[in-house]
Amino acid sequence: MAELILDGHKLLWHKERLEAWTRGERIAPITIDCALTRACTYKCVYCYGQLQNNDIKKMTKDVIFRFLDDAVEIGVKAISFVSDGESTCSPHLYDAILKGKSNGLDMALGTNGYLLRDEKLEEVLPALTYLRFNISAADPLNYAKIMGCKEECFDKVIETIKKSVAIKRKNKLSVTLGLQMVLLPQFADQVIPLAKLGKELGVDYSVIKHCSDDEAGSLGVQYDKYFDLVNILKEAEKYSDNNYLVKAKWSKILSKGKRNYSRCFGPAFIMQFSGSGLVAPCGMLFNDKYKKYHIGNIAEKSFKEIWRSERYWEVLSLIASEKFNACTMCGSLCLQHKVNEFLWGLKHGKGFSGEFESAIPEHVNFI
């Protein structure tokens, strides 16, 4: 079984794109994370989406399909419906997954699972590289408290996870099924129960990740408190076996929310779109107050046109320049963090030759 990298990046398996970037060429992103709407059924206490308000455009089926056509044409390899909205709220989700797959793109979905239609699982699971359920508590009461929903939502989501596992096993599908816990220190009592729950449900992995915050600390994440949870997290990882992996994202959890790089290079390889259709370098910069970094909107113009525009490259050049400081001008521990660490090292003389000989990992195009 190929390695499942849950705390790192996969740029090392995209040598041609890396080399083109180092030559200064205009490359297409390898991965795009996006949502099909900004709507959501939950109000999670740790949600960064509340900090990402921007002008909403209508993400119609035509807009979504045009984007998926553009993505494959310019060389994008993978699309994950994960961003600032719950894509199961879109009536076009299932068609979009199948369209992307038929285009030759690797497709993935991150969801709370509540609106995920069980009758669609047989159809969409074969088209997904991975399906990740965002779940941060292991019982209905705590689930409702942390994720901002009714207690009965928990039971529905658990049944959907069980059905997904059953369909995967029955049809011998390659899709990876996982659980993701966004960990705030005050909810540490849910770590072990969630590790156990994932094993009982039969999913492939459970990942425990940090909570991001903006540069003003609006969510009040106490990064120093994560250090008190090391033993609990190590205990959770002991529930791993040959068929189930429990993994804490140690490099971010124990980073104190700090970066060791000041410029942002990652969006050239992994770009994010808002559920409003907004194209911006990353989710940290979706809010209207960051308009100087906004590139365009796929509801108004095709992504192919946006990617080819001078505006796209002006913004990417700006955040990679001395005029931008990633340590102070955007939020903490973003999606591109591990990619940025690697590219910062590359820019400062740390080469990558000879590092491509290991086996190709799982989900290689979701970098």
Side-chain angles (χ1 to χ4, degrees):
M1 181 178 176
E3 182 184 6
L4 184 61
I5 298 175
L6 297 174
D7 185 20
H9 68 88
K10 308 180 193 80
L11 271 185
L12 292 173
W13 288 272
H14 296 276
K15 186 177 181 181
E16 290 183 3
R17 200 77 55 108
L18 263 176
E19 290 177 337
W21 179 77
T22 59
R23 292 192 298 266
E25 296 178 19
R26 294 183 170 185
I27 63 169
I30 297 167
T31 309
I32 294 177
D33 270 28
C34 58
L36 300 180
T37 176
R38 287 210 72 239
C40 188
T41 47
Y42 288 10
K43 293 183 178 179
C44 300
V45 296
Y46 49 73
C47 181
Y48 201 93
Q50 62 189 290
L51 308 176
Q52 296 172 306
N53 292 329
N54 60 80
D55 186 23
I56 295 177
K57 306 296 181 183
K58 189 170 180 61
M59 293 281 279
T60 65
K61 184 176 179 179
D62 287 344
V63 166
I64 296 164
F65 275 33
R66 181 180 67 184
F67 158 62
L68 293 169
D69 287 339
D70 286 346
V72 72
E73 182 178 338
I74 71 171
V76 176
K77 296 183 178 182
I79 304 290
S80 52
F81 291 136
V82 181
S83 189
D84 60 341
E86 172 56 56
S87 288
T88 57
C89 293
S90 168
H92 312 302
L93 171 65
Y94 307 101
D95 288 339
I97 292 171
L98 298 176
K99 168 68 173 176
K101 182 66 174 179
S102 70
N103 278 7
L105 295 162
D106 286 347
M107 302 298 297
L109 173 64
T111 174
N112 59 41
Y114 180 63
L115 290 184
L116 191 58
R117 293 165 56 185
D118 294 352
E119 70 272 18
K120 288 288 188 178
L121 292 173
E122 290 266 8
E123 185 177 20
V124 299
L125 284 176
L128 291 171
T129 299
Y130 72 80
L131 170 59
R132 188 186 71 214
F133 292 90
N134 302 317
I135 178 170
S136 294
D139 64 82
L141 181 62
N142 282 295
Y143 184 88
K145 174 183 175 183
I146 296 171
M147 303 194 71
C149 61
K150 295 180 179 180
E151 291 184 33
E152 52 262 36
C153 295
F154 177 83
D155 295 326
K156 189 279 172 186
V157 171
I158 295 300
E159 286 305 307
T160 297
I161 296 171
K162 288 179 179 178
K163 288 175 182 176
S164 299
V165 171
I167 291 169
K168 171 180 175 171
R169 290 176 176 175
K170 179 186 71 174
N171 297 330
K172 297 180 171 59
L173 302 178
S174 61
V175 60
T176 302
L177 301 176
L179 308 183
Q180 175 177 274
M181 177 190 194
V182 178
L183 175 63
L184 284 172
Q186 58 265 41
F187 302 130
D189 62 335
Q190 294 302 304
V191 171
I192 301 299
L194 270 169
K196 292 179 180 178
L197 179 62
K199 192 161 194 170
E200 292 167 2
L201 292 172
V203 297
D204 299 298
Y205 72 86
S206 291
V207 63
I208 305 156
K209 63 167 287 186
H210 64 292
C211 181
S212 293
D213 208 341
D214 67 5
E215 65 270 31
S218 299
L219 297 179
V221 183
Q222 296 178 291
Y223 288 104
D224 288 346
K225 298 290 186 181
Y226 282 127
F227 287 83
D228 298 332
L229 310 182
V230 169
N231 289 338
I232 292 173
L233 294 172
K234 287 183 176 179
E235 183 64 28
E237 290 187 332
K238 291 179 181 178
Y239 285 88
S240 301
D241 58 31
N242 291 336
N243 299 308
Y244 174 59
L245 173 66
V246 181
K247 179 66 179 176
K249 289 196 173 186
W250 291 108
S251 68
K252 290 186 175 182
I253 288 172
L254 301 182
S255 70
K256 296 184 179 180
K258 305 296 184 183
R259 291 182 167 90
N260 61 3
Y261 54 88
S262 58
R263 300 185 190 181
C264 183
F265 303 117
F269 295 90
I270 178 168
M271 175 72 66
Q272 287 179 280
F273 298 175
S274 169
S276 68
L278 171 69
V279 179
C282 71
M284 300 290 184
L285 300 175
F286 284 167
N287 193 287
D288 279 336
K289 66 182 179 180
Y290 302 115
K291 277 187 179 293
K292 68 182 292 184
Y293 306 109
H294 293 178
I295 300 169
N297 193 296
I298 61 171
E300 299 173 329
K301 185 182 291 187
S302 76
F303 178 58
K304 182 169 55 178
E305 291 179 89
I306 293 171
W307 178 73
R308 289 174 175 169
S309 70
E310 288 305 313
R311 174 64 180 170
Y312 185 97
W313 299 102
E314 286 170 1
V315 172
L316 263 61
S317 295
L318 173 60
I319 62 174
S321 74
E322 293 180 353
K323 295 179 181 179
F324 185 82
N325 187 337
C327 296
T328 60
M329 297 173 70
C330 59
S332 61
L333 304 176
C334 61
L335 175 70
Q336 294 87 351
H337 179 67
K338 299 304 294 183
V339 169
N340 269 326
E341 285 185 333
F342 172 76
L343 294 173
W344 178 259
L346 202 60
K347 282 287 189 179
H348 289 80
K350 186 177 180 181
F352 57 85
S353 59
E355 296 184 63
F356 300 89
E357 299 174 1
S358 58
I360 297 174
E362 290 283 305
H363 316 159
V364 67
N365 290 328
F366 296 92
I367 60 167

